[in-house]
Amino acid sequence: MKNFFIFFFIFFQFTFFAQSKNESIVQKPKSIRIPDSLKNKKVASIDLYKVITLDNDTTYIDTSLTIQKEYSHNYLRKDIFGLLPFANDGQTYNTLQYSLREYNSLPEFGFKAKHFNFLEAQHLRYYSVATPVTELYFKTTINRGQSVDAFITLNTSDNLNFSIAYKGLRSEGEYLNQLSSTGNFRFTSSYNTKNKRYFAKAHYTFQDILNEENGGITTIEDFESENASFNNRQRFEVYFTDAKSFLKGKRFFLDHNFRINPKKGNTNLYVSHQVNYENKFFEFNQRTVFSTVGSSTVDRFGESFLNSNINDQTRYNKLYNKVGLTLENSLLGKFYFFIDDFRSNSYYNRILIFNNQTNIPSSLSQDINTVLGKYAFDREKFSGDFSYQRSITPQSLSNLDANFKFNFNEDFQLSLQYQNLNKLPNNNYNLYQSSYIQYNWSNDFKNEKINILNANLVSPWVDIDFQYTMLNDYLYFTNIATVQQKSVRTQIVAPAQYNETINYASLKLSKEISFGNFALDNTVLFQKTTQDELVLNVPELVTRNTIYYSNYFFKNALFLQTGVSLNYFTNYFANEYNPLIGEFFVQNEKQIGNHPYLDFFINAKIQRTRIYLKAEHFNSSFTGNNFYSSPNNPSRDFTIRFGLIWNFFN
């Protein structure tokens, strides 16, 4: 049965790949009869509702209902192709597509498995709107709880905008000790003077992510046996019944620039400044140290200094300043020069000394200065930029980045990128302290050396995204438990560095094929690695195929979209999640994958309201209990979800 579903969708995908028709359902605004009393009132056009990134890329508020909106109606509010969610909303995600990883040459806090829903400075958006705009997002969760995201923005004048938003989630989950409770508060403001000499963007965020951590189920064989006694997932034994992890952080951010010459001309000179002050806090709390597996007692993370009430805390603060000059010429392009100052500190409240020799310090502080030069140009059909960053303090880091984009016409675009990074390790690779004895380390790892070549082609026939990455001195986490420790289920995870070269290549093909009111949307990812040891593990094939129907009903008052999606990836040695350190680690003992995930959805749009109804993983009961998010964590069962997004333009 499972192979039938996979064959069915792959067959449709390649049957229609070369035989697409150009017909598609395009959502047109419905015809509205305007009363005579309102005919003389001005109506703001969509281009007056701008969404602006930190780099000034501009789009517009979009209230349409497309298949991409279906993909992004989730906890992260974005398309999660290439990510594998855990069973409960608000938990972490395993990474199927390695090329999704973002790089920063400067060291970061770490605990990356906890950061999927943590909004960094570059993720925030700024607005300029003709009238106040409100957006309300709602979606049901797993068992009791709800997921909401409320947002409002307004311009008090043409040149001053404010926005405030809060995203909150509480989801109980299906398994024991799996509650998620998260909150993301955002406040943004953007301003420019009337003569447009001064521009500023600022934001404040406060974010907290709380997860009960059960460490996975202890009896995988009971899950795979499909024993009806375990249809109630609360009956599965888990490693931890009272552990939880907590990440919180707040940030103050300002980016502003000033044009020195009074009037804008063919040549302009700007001075700019950016400041980012941020602090983060990660905590692992566990009242009961020992785990129970059947009738046995297990030291899951090994020996501990404490017999109960473990409360490991890591604190971090960062202050980043960047000042620069920009020379803009209408003929030559833009020339940038920046100098920055990066100061960070990860710290604990103690110093550890083992056997009067090994010293685990209480903090890791870094003061780094870099200089950066950049050139950017924009021609009618050709644009690009070239930048180089290098440290001027003793720490060795560099970042060379070149981007080129060719716009042949509306249907053809080609983008090329090359990046060469010499990256400092994240702080938690070099310093970590815990109440668990073997989870304490102080290291001095070498920089990671990363070369990335990326090519992206948009065409009427197929969209192609190719990436080749060469990694040297790759950093990762691995299980260093001895054979004896593994035999009693003890898991000892520590950072490691792979001193050889890893080659990674990915090819992603995307195409939507329309035939009448039906469409087949396909995304297929091929991946391959070459390495002497299994350190970077990815599935060779990841695919998402959606066949759906769209049409208007009730005199165009209702736009309906309904269909079935298949998500599938081949077997591979997936990384396992360790809640104590908030990271995934490499394992080469159990493969997951080769299971189809089928979702049925019905979506509707009435005026500016979009309604979503989905039966997630409806095939879970008849295609076998071999669906996992990581080797010890089954993924989501069949679940019915309801949600909506409601926009108001006042």
Side-chain angles (χ1 to χ4, degrees):
M1 178 68 72
K2 173 177 66 178
N3 292 332
F4 168 77
F5 282 115
I6 299 170
F7 173 80
F8 175 80
F9 275 84
I10 298 296
F11 172 79
F12 263 95
Q13 171 191 339
F14 289 103
T15 300
F16 291 101
F17 197 86
Q19 301 179 11
S20 64
K21 298 181 182 179
N22 293 325
E23 302 175 19
S24 63
I25 293 292
V26 178
Q27 294 182 53
K28 300 177 182 178
K30 77 170 188 175
S31 188
I32 302 175
R33 184 182 177 189
I34 304 175
D36 293 338
S37 60
L38 298 179
K39 284 185 178 180
N40 294 326
K41 289 190 176 182
K42 294 182 179 179
V43 178
S45 58
I46 192 63
D47 61 344
L48 296 179
Y49 295 87
K50 298 177 182 178
V51 183
I52 306 164
T53 69
L54 181 60
D55 295 326
N56 290 319
D57 295 328
T58 302
T59 56
Y60 305 103
I61 293 177
D62 183 8
T63 62
S64 63
L65 178 60
T66 64
I67 194 61
Q68 297 302 321
K69 295 297 179 69
E70 156 63 23
Y71 296 151
S72 63
H73 189 73
N74 54 56
Y75 170 61
L76 296 184
R77 304 293 309 271
K78 67 178 184 179
D79 188 348
I80 60 170
F81 178 84
L83 297 177
L84 181 60
F86 272 46
N88 194 18
D89 276 353
Q91 288 187 285
T92 188
Y93 295 74
N94 220 329
T95 302
L96 302 174
Q97 181 181 345
Y98 176 77
S99 55
L100 292 177
R101 182 173 177 180
E102 298 178 353
Y103 293 102
N104 187 347
S105 57
L106 293 167
E108 298 176 289
F109 181 42
F111 308 97
K112 300 302 286 185
K114 293 286 293 183
H115 276 74
F116 284 94
N117 183 49
F118 196 92
L119 299 173
E120 303 292 354
Q122 67 272 19
H123 300 149
L124 271 289
R125 297 294 180 261
Y126 306 88
Y127 301 87
S128 176
V129 293
T131 60
V133 176
T134 302
E135 180 176 279
L136 301 177
Y137 163 95
F138 169 82
K139 191 171 185 178
T140 57
T141 57
I142 309 302
N143 285 342
R144 290 178 294 183
Q146 59 279 323
S147 176
V148 297
D149 192 358
F151 160 82
I152 183 170
T153 181
L154 61 90
N155 274 60
T156 58
S157 63
D158 289 342
N159 53 336
L160 179 61
N161 174 272
F162 296 99
S163 78
I164 188 168
Y166 180 79
K167 180 167 73 170
L169 171 117
R170 185 176 177 86
S171 181
E172 185 180 46
E174 296 179 306
Y175 295 82
L176 287 173
N177 201 47
Q178 202 181 52
L179 174 73
S180 296
S181 178
T182 70
N184 304 78
F185 172 82
R186 300 98 71 195
F187 173 81
T188 75
S189 180
S190 57
Y191 170 78
N192 62 268
T193 55
K194 291 183 178 180
N195 59 8
K196 297 190 177 180
R197 290 186 69 185
Y198 177 75
F199 287 82
K201 299 185 184 78
H203 73 250
Y204 168 77
T205 61
F206 180 83
Q207 305 176 75
D208 59 275
I209 300 169
L210 172 68
N211 297 104
E212 291 182 343
E213 305 283 8
N214 61 29
I217 62 175
T218 63
T219 52
I220 296 296
E221 60 277 7
D222 287 338
F223 175 72
E224 295 184 351
S225 70
E226 302 183 41
N227 186 335
S229 300
F230 294 99
N231 286 345
N232 181 352
R233 301 312 195 194
Q234 297 278 324
R235 294 182 176 177
F236 280 109
E237 190 176 63
V238 296
Y239 283 102
F240 310 122
T241 58
D242 57 11
K244 60 184 178 181
S245 65
F246 183 49
L247 172 70
K248 70 175 181 179
K250 60 182 178 181
R251 178 174 58 247
F252 300 90
F253 179 89
L254 171 66
D255 182 270
H256 53 148
N257 62 80
F258 177 74
R259 189 180 72 241
I260 295 175
N261 47 302
K263 293 185 178 180
K264 189 169 184 179
N266 292 329
T267 301
N268 305 287
L269 183 63
Y270 300 85
V271 60
S272 62
H273 172 238
Q274 183 182 111
V275 58
N276 183 343
Y277 175 73
E278 183 171 38
N279 60 59
K280 293 182 180 181
F281 170 85
F282 177 75
E283 176 184 272
F284 179 80
N285 183 281
Q286 185 181 4
R287 291 195 302 271
T288 306
V289 172
F290 301 105
S291 302
T292 301
V293 179
S295 59
S296 302
T297 299
V298 172
D299 294 329
R300 183 58 170 166
F301 295 141
E303 295 182 0
S304 171
F305 296 120
L306 302 174
N307 293 323
S308 62
N309 295 321
I310 284 177
N311 190 31
D312 295 339
Q313 298 179 347
T314 306
R315 291 177 169 84
Y316 170 83
N317 53 51
K318 176 184 78 173
L319 177 62
Y320 176 77
N321 276 281
K322 180 172 72 172
V323 295
L325 287 172
T326 302
L327 177 64
E328 177 188 53
N329 182 273
S330 58
L331 180 63
L332 299 178
K334 294 182 179 181
F335 299 85
Y336 302 84
F337 175 78
F338 297 103
I339 184 168
D340 64 16
D341 179 75
F342 174 89
R343 303 185 182 203
S344 72
N345 186 30
S346 289
Y347 59 100
Y348 301 87
N349 60 3
R350 63 189 178 185
I351 297 174
L352 297 179
I353 300 176
F354 292 90
N355 301 322
N356 295 321
Q357 294 179 350
T358 304
N359 181 10
I360 309 296
S362 62
S363 65
L364 175 61
S365 299
Q366 307 203 56
D367 296 336
I368 303 169
N369 296 115
T370 73
V371 292
L372 182 145
K374 180 178 178 180
Y375 170 66
F377 64 92
D378 190 357
R379 302 290 182 266
E380 184 178 351
K381 293 187 177 182
F382 179 44
S383 61
D385 61 76
F386 178 89
S387 65
Y388 182 67
Q389 179 187 26
R390 189 173 183 84
S391 61
I392 55 176
T393 43
Q395 302 91 340
S396 174
L397 70 86
S398 62
N399 183 9
L400 185 151
D401 194 0
N403 297 272
F404 300 97
K405 185 173 182 179
F406 304 85
N407 290 298
F408 300 106
N409 54 47
E410 292 183 358
D411 296 325
F412 287 91
Q413 292 94 40
L414 174 65
S415 300
L416 301 172
Q417 181 196 23
Y418 173 72
Q419 188 174 21
N420 181 298
L421 271 165
N422 183 17
K423 172 183 166 40
L424 286 166
N426 289 342
N427 289 358
N428 65 332
Y429 283 104
N430 281 333
L431 178 65
Y432 184 70
Q433 288 191 14
S434 172
S435 298
Y436 286 101
I437 295 174
Q438 290 187 263
Y439 280 83
N440 292 276
W441 56 75
S442 176
N443 299 309
D444 186 18
F445 286 116
K446 295 182 290 186
N447 284 15
E448 293 182 280
K449 289 82 176 177
I450 306 163
N451 283 274
I452 303 171
L453 178 65
N454 189 75
N456 179 269
L457 174 67
V458 176
S459 75
W461 306 292
V462 63
D463 294 344
I464 302 173
D465 192 353
F466 170 78
Q467 184 178 113
Y468 169 72
T469 303
M470 184 170 66
L471 302 159
N472 287 287
D473 298 321
Y474 176 69
L475 284 166
Y476 62 101
F477 289 90
T478 188
N479 189 357
I480 61 170
T482 64
V483 174
Q484 181 181 0
Q485 286 176 320
K486 290 181 179 179
S487 68
V488 293
R489 300 179 183 248
T490 297
Q491 184 185 97
I492 307 297
V493 175
Q497 189 155 43
Y498 183 64
N499 294 318
E500 304 297 329
T501 299
I502 300 174
N503 294 286
Y504 165 83
S506 68
L507 178 66
K508 184 163 73 171
L509 307 176
S510 304
K511 174 63 180 177
E512 180 173 287
I513 303 149
S514 301
F515 37 100
N517 291 336
F518 290 89
L520 180 65
D521 185 73
N522 305 287
T523 303
V524 183
L525 172 69
F526 303 95
Q527 299 180 110
K528 191 70 176 178
T529 60
T530 58
Q531 52 195 333
D532 293 335
E533 300 177 24
L534 294 178
V535 173
L536 177 57
N537 299 321
V538 293
E540 292 191 351
L541 172 67
V542 183
T543 184
R544 178 181 64 198
N545 312 94
T546 303
I547 185 167
Y548 66 100
Y549 172 85
S550 304
N551 208 346
Y552 285 95
F553 295 91
F554 307 113
K555 297 181 179 180
N556 292 340
L558 169 72
F559 179 77
L560 184 71
Q561 178 189 81
T562 181
V564 178
S565 289
L566 164 74
N567 285 274
Y568 172 83
F569 59 93
T570 52
N571 276 333
Y572 81 112
F573 289 109
N575 290 349
E576 182 59 279
Y577 173 59
N578 183 292
L580 175 61
I581 60 173
E583 294 277 6
F584 283 92
F585 66 92
V586 174
Q587 63 84 33
N588 297 306
E589 297 175 356
K590 179 179 174 60
Q591 291 188 332
I592 69 170
N594 194 31
H595 178 88
Y597 294 81
L598 290 171
D599 302 331
F600 171 73
F601 61 88
I602 302 176
N603 303 328
K605 181 174 183 289
I606 304 172
Q607 294 184 346
R608 299 188 188 98
T609 303
R610 287 158 282 171
I611 302 169
Y612 299 83
L613 181 64
K614 179 184 283 189
E616 294 183 358
H617 198 190
F618 67 80
N619 60 302
S620 62
S621 62
F622 55 85
T623 49
N625 279 5
N626 64 334
F627 44 91
Y628 294 91
S629 298
S630 74
N632 279 326
N633 290 275
S635 54
R636 193 169 300 161
D637 288 292
F638 168 55
T639 308
I640 296 178
R641 310 287 293 277
F642 167 78
L644 61 83
I645 298 177
W646 199 350
N647 289 94
F648 302 89
F649 295 82
N650 298 327

